[in-house]
Amino acid sequence: MKVLNFGSLNMDYTYSVPHIIAGGETMASYELNEYCGGKGLNQSVAMAKAGLPVWHAGLIGNDGEKLLETCEAAGVHTEFIRKLPVRGGHTVIQVDEKGQNSIILYGGTNRMQTKEYADEVLAHFGSGDYLVLQNEINLLDYIIDKAYERGMKIVLNPSPYNEALDACDLSKVSLFLVNEIEAAQITGNKDPEHVLDALAESFPEAAFVLTLGSDGAWYYDGTEKVFQDIFPVKAVDTTAAGDTFTGFFIRKLTDGADIQTALRTAAKASSIAVTRVGAAPSIPTMAEVEAEI
Ligand code: RIB
């Protein structure tokens, strides 16, 4: 079993601010930092730091050397990452005094995947292998269809949720990792208590992890329902907390751990990530997580 993560790689320009800026407001920031991020890169780094061999596919620009180096340093297999001679993906992130963020995405090379490139990468994977996806790259619908044809198990974190997902055949997804907003957008059901049932009804073949911020996380596969509370900490930066959760959950799941263990490990990993600044740099190793559990 191999794990391929086909996803975004971003340079994050992170501004520390007193509060998230309002429309029409001008505000000085305390500090600017540059971190490696992107939901795709973060999840690959999290899986690798959790001890899972992972191959990342995605496109960087001529400003993306650091992104490649970060993947390599974390132990991610990078032979499928390609560089294009144009500007890569980046974000402008505000982080306020409570650690909450708001993110503007510039897609850059993340929006330049081609069918030929997707086919070339997917040819290295087959039945029983995992494909992990988020929603920051183009061609998600094509990649899902082709991976499914190859018998791969598809894991989707549909974040950020937008109309590109309407083109995807989501019945081909085996595992969804969603927050309450994305779950409501997928099901049209806003009541968190009913969201899991609505998801299971819409996608009877899939399993779901629903994260609810400070209200913990649920797993449901139509039969087994498991709850995991958060590990309370003082957050300094929540960027990549969800990606860390995803990476550690997948690591434990593919390892054959029981769901409660997988959720607990993921919750602990993400609680550590929020106490550190930045996206990829905030992701702990499995040893750090296990030492605290
Ligand atoms: O999930 C966090 C990530 O979202 C950041 O690293 C940023 O790049 C955006 O993609």
Side-chain angles (χ1 to χ4, degrees):
M1 186 275 297
K2 288 189 289 187
V3 178
L4 167 67
N5 183 10
F6 215 129
S8 60
L9 306 100
N10 290 330
M11 281 313 302
D12 290 344
Y13 297 98
T14 301
Y15 296 81
S16 306
V17 291
H19 59 263
I20 304 300
I21 200 161
E25 185 181 6
T26 301
M27 181 175 64
S29 60
Y30 301 133
E31 202 179 342
L32 165 63
N33 286 290
E34 266 182 58
Y35 300 112
C36 291
K39 291 186 197 307
L41 177 147
N42 295 339
Q43 292 179 21
S44 282
V45 167
M47 286 187 271
K49 285 185 145 185
L52 181 63
V54 56
W55 279 259
H56 191 95
L59 302 171
I60 57 173
N62 47 23
D63 49 355
E65 206 50 43
K66 262 192 186 168
L67 299 168
L68 193 58
E69 285 166 16
T70 294
C71 288
E72 280 164 358
V76 176
H77 295 276
T78 57
E79 59 262 37
F80 300 127
I81 297 176
R82 300 277 180 273
K83 190 176 197 171
L84 300 181
V86 292
R87 190 156 191 188
H90 77 257
T91 62
V92 174
I93 302 184
Q94 300 174 55
V95 177
D96 72 12
E97 289 171 347
K98 293 184 190 131
Q100 291 303 309
N101 65 26
S102 86
I103 302 179
I104 298 173
L105 274 172
Y106 171 76
T109 46
N110 292 316
R111 312 293 310 167
M112 295 176 187
Q113 329 292 326
T114 62
K115 292 181 177 176
E116 294 69 29
Y117 172 53
D119 289 343
E120 184 194 320
V121 172
L122 290 170
H124 295 269
F125 298 86
S127 185
D129 290 339
Y130 280 76
L131 171 67
V132 179
L133 296 168
Q134 315 76 31
N135 188 29
E136 288 186 344
I137 59 168
N138 64 314
L139 278 195
L140 215 55
D141 52 341
Y142 182 82
I143 295 169
I144 288 174
D145 288 346
K146 292 295 161 182
Y148 188 79
E149 273 171 31
R150 303 188 75 79
M152 295 180 78
K153 288 186 189 155
I154 301 168
V155 177
L156 176 65
N157 168 218
S159 182
Y161 192 90
N162 61 31
E163 63 290 344
L165 289 160
D166 297 342
C168 299
D169 183 352
L170 298 183
S171 70
K172 294 174 178 169
V173 174
S174 305
L175 171 66
F176 292 86
L177 293 114
V178 294
N179 64 28
E180 70 268 49
I181 298 165
E182 292 146 7
Q185 285 166 316
I186 294 172
T187 60
N189 192 324
K190 288 205 171 90
D191 177 359
E193 287 204 4
H194 296 117
V195 149
L196 283 173
D197 291 333
L199 284 169
E201 212 170 284
S202 304
F203 305 104
E205 305 300 322
F208 307 90
V209 174
L210 173 65
T211 55
L212 299 170
S214 57
D215 290 329
W218 287 93
Y219 169 90
Y220 187 46
D221 59 14
T223 313
E224 191 181 6
K225 204 177 245 182
V226 183
F227 174 70
Q228 175 63 47
D229 212 344
I230 59 156
F231 291 90
V233 287
K234 184 171 168 5
V236 299
D237 183 353
T238 55
T239 312
D243 301 327
T244 303
F245 188 104
T246 296
F248 277 75
F249 183 82
I250 294 171
R251 157 68 165 125
K252 283 293 180 186
L253 189 75
T254 53
D255 217 20
D258 62 89
I259 297 300
Q260 191 75 67
T261 302
L263 286 177
R264 191 166 53 244
T265 308
K268 173 50 86 177
S270 98
S271 79
I272 295 173
V274 301
T275 64
R276 301 172 176 177
V277 292
S282 72
I283 300 169
T285 61
M286 184 61 96
E288 289 175 305
V289 172
E290 286 181 342
E292 285 201 25
I293 276 189

